[in-house]
Amino acid sequence: MAGKLSGKKVAVLAADGFEEVELTKPRKALDDAGARTSVVSIRSGKIQGMNHADKGESVAVDLTLSEANPQDFDALMIPGGLMNPDALRSTEQALEFVRHFFQEGKPVAAICHAPWVLIDAGVVQGRTLTSWPAIKTGRHPGVQRKDGRGILRGPAHRRLRTFCTSIGNLTAKLLATSPASPSSFHDRDASA
């Protein structure tokens, strides 16, 4: 995958309580593909990762939401975890950041519980997405959830390798055919 994303900038939107492997492994896949990734968060310093219910490693924040300009990024990746998406979806500045990527048709990848953020940002109406089974999209008119392999998917630990491969491949493919539509992240594209 080396070089597919050379020169592309990817924002990794995360807060305290992100699932460690859902940030570190996809980020490494993006970096290995030549992307320049930046962790964007609610506050500066470090954010706490989790390994399920146990504390994991912390990750340095590159930019706060106040400092980050979504126009400077080509794509967005949001890791899951329980507390991370909850903090992000409760922060209007994070929701506005996410909305930019959908409004501009830029690639967006969300894993596990992260689709909560997309739902609360109001960007998934009329789309089908996959997520951790506990995400109840039925409460949100126009949004459907299904199990399956795709870039918006979960549970993370069963197919994290597929997610990491898919995120680089799909981001490269969609950026090459820009403007891209985040709604095109479905099973048929996961092996692209």
Side-chain angles (χ1 to χ4, degrees), residues 64-77:
T64 64
L65 282 163
S66 298
E67 300 166 330
N69 182 347
Q71 294 175 335
D72 293 340
F73 295 97
D74 301 297
L76 172 66
M77 197 275 288

Side-chain angles (χ1 to χ4, degrees), residues 48-70:
Q48 181 63 54
M50 301 295 290
N51 292 314
H52 303 292
D54 300 322
K55 282 189 176 182
E57 296 295 318
S58 294
V59 171
V61 172
D62 297 305
L63 296 165
T64 64
L65 282 163
S66 298
E67 300 166 330
N69 182 347

Side-chain angles (χ1 to χ4, degrees), residues 108 124 126-130 144-153 162 166 170 173-174 181-192:
V108 173
V124 294
R127 303 184 197 297
T128 300
L129 57 108
T130 58
Q144 293 186 356
R145 186 202 163 275
K146 72 173 191 169
D147 290 324
R149 223 181 76 189
I151 203 73
L152 301 176
R153 62 160 296 271
T162 300
S166 297
L170 285 173
K173 179 180 173 182
L174 292 172
S181 168
S183 65
S184 64
F185 289 156
H186 289 291
D187 296 352
R188 68 183 185 286
D189 295 321
S191 61

